[in-house]
Amino acid sequence: MNLRTEPARTPWLYLAPALVVLGGLLVYPIYQLGLISFFQYTQAQVSGGEPTTFEGFGNYAELFGDSQFWQVLLATVVFAAACVVSTLAVGCALAVLLTRVRAVPRLALLLAALGAWATPAVTGSTVWLFLFDADFGPVNRVLGLGDHSWTYGRLSAFFLVLLEVVWCSFPFVMVTVYAGIRAVPGEVLEAAALDGASQWRIWRSVLAPMLRPILVVVTIQSVIWDFKVFTQIYVMTNGGGIAGQNLVLNVYAYQQAFASSQYGLGSAIGVVMLLILLAVTLVYLRLLRRQGEEL
């Protein structure tokens, strides 16, 4: 037995069960998604009434030739970027706050945040709809807006969904960054404070560089979550808003695949989303490695 190769094989033996499970849960569905995107796959093919027809890149050509797809793609990118930035800002700010308050307020904030995190997306979306309801919502009464409908306008509806997405997403960022801050040596923070650095300067020049590996993880995770938002948009805008004004790619794919029974076209949208997320993740990691960070 080669003693040099044996230690290299040992980690893979421990990882083998997890890799098998991930292969069944991720690789095979992605393979089927890509396969269906190359066929004409409608309700007639699903029911077995007509044979499937190989379309090649026909579904992709139809998709890229549709002006609505590009409008939805742009709206998705802008909306996801706003959600990611807002989530990181709120989560990081509250993580710093946790290090400044006493035990009881800290515990209360953690419990409240974990409660928001544990709330199902459908339930949270319904609650937020009630809070901003034009007739019975307390927000309009407090702000004196009368019967103003937040879901009628395109921007106000996106803003309402953004608030709900941030509300259910910031706890992950807050808890992760807070754990990272607690791992930073106290001497470093004390030295920065003795040098006269403000709290913002300590965060920007001391904590952020030391927490960059953690920030990379929460940023990539937030990008993936927010780019494929479905439940909040679908519930809070009633399937994409008036005349589809609040459509994002996930809801658009659902409409094409299940509402219009064009499963091949819906699968093509799913493949495009997967490639975009992979590209964003790889580019982000590459930029960090160029800066000399070891992730």
Side-chain angles (χ1 to χ4, degrees):
M1 180 181 296
N2 192 338
L3 297 179
R4 292 183 177 180
T5 59
E6 185 64 22
R9 296 176 181 176
T10 303
W12 291 104
L13 293 177
Y14 286 109
L15 291 174
L19 292 176
V20 171
V21 174
L22 289 176
L25 295 177
L26 295 178
V27 177
Y28 182 72
I30 291 175
Y31 163 74
Q32 286 292 334
L33 181 72
L35 183 63
I36 294 176
S37 69
F38 290 108
F39 285 87
Q40 181 185 1
Y41 210 77
T42 62
Q43 189 60 43
Q45 282 74 37
V46 173
S47 60
E50 297 180 9
T52 57
T53 303
F54 181 73
E55 292 283 335
F57 290 96
N59 287 322
Y60 294 94
E62 179 181 352
L63 183 65
F64 295 147
D66 186 2
S67 60
Q68 186 182 18
F69 165 75
W70 296 106
Q71 295 173 4
V72 173
L73 176 60
L74 177 61
T76 304
V77 171
V78 174
F79 175 74
C83 289
V84 170
V85 173
S86 301
T87 302
L88 292 177
V90 173
C92 291
L94 292 178
V96 174
L97 179 62
L98 286 176
T99 65
R100 299 288 186 267
V101 297
R102 296 181 180 273
V104 175
R106 184 189 308 124
L107 179 60
L109 179 57
L110 284 171
L111 291 177
L114 293 178
W117 195 9
T119 302
V122 174
T123 304
S125 300
T126 305
V127 170
W128 277 83
L129 273 180
F130 168 75
L131 292 176
F132 288 83
D133 184 77
D135 297 320
F136 307 104
V139 174
N140 279 7
R141 295 183 181 180
V142 172
L143 298 180
L145 297 178
D147 58 351
H148 172 73
S149 176
W150 291 82
T151 58
Y152 183 79
R154 183 170 187 260
L155 294 180
S156 61
F158 269 128
F159 177 72
L160 181 58
V161 177
L162 181 144
L163 292 178
E164 203 281 333
V165 171
V166 172
W167 176 76
C168 66
S169 301
F170 84 85
F172 170 74
V173 178
M174 184 189 73
V175 173
T176 306
V177 175
Y178 173 69
I181 294 176
R182 299 297 295 178
V184 175
E187 296 81 2
V188 175
L189 301 179
E190 291 179 4
L194 290 175
D195 289 338
S198 62
Q199 294 298 326
W200 167 247
R201 186 62 184 272
I202 291 176
W203 167 260
R204 184 171 62 88
S205 302
V206 179
L207 287 177
M210 298 183 70
L211 296 176
R212 184 161 296 179
I214 294 177
L215 294 176
V216 169
V217 173
V218 297
T219 299
I220 293 176
Q221 191 69 52
S222 297
V223 169
I224 294 173
W225 283 346
D226 296 339
F227 191 81
K228 61 184 186 66
V229 164
F230 173 82
T231 304
Q232 291 88 340
I233 287 286
Y234 193 84
V235 173
M236 300 181 73
T237 65
N238 196 22
I242 301 173
Q245 65 180 2
N246 296 112
L247 281 176
V248 292
L249 279 180
N250 234 355
V251 179
Y252 183 58
Y254 173 84
Q255 288 186 351
Q256 296 297 324
F258 297 99
S260 301
S261 297
Q262 298 183 18
Y263 300 101
L265 189 59
S267 298
I269 299 174
V271 172
V272 171
M273 291 180 60
L274 175 63
L275 294 177
I276 291 175
L277 289 175
L278 286 176
V280 170
T281 303
L282 292 176
V283 169
Y284 193 60
L285 292 176
R286 187 173 181 180
L287 290 175
L288 287 175
R289 289 194 178 99
R290 284 184 178 179
Q291 297 175 0
E293 294 291 338
E294 295 182 1
L295 305 179

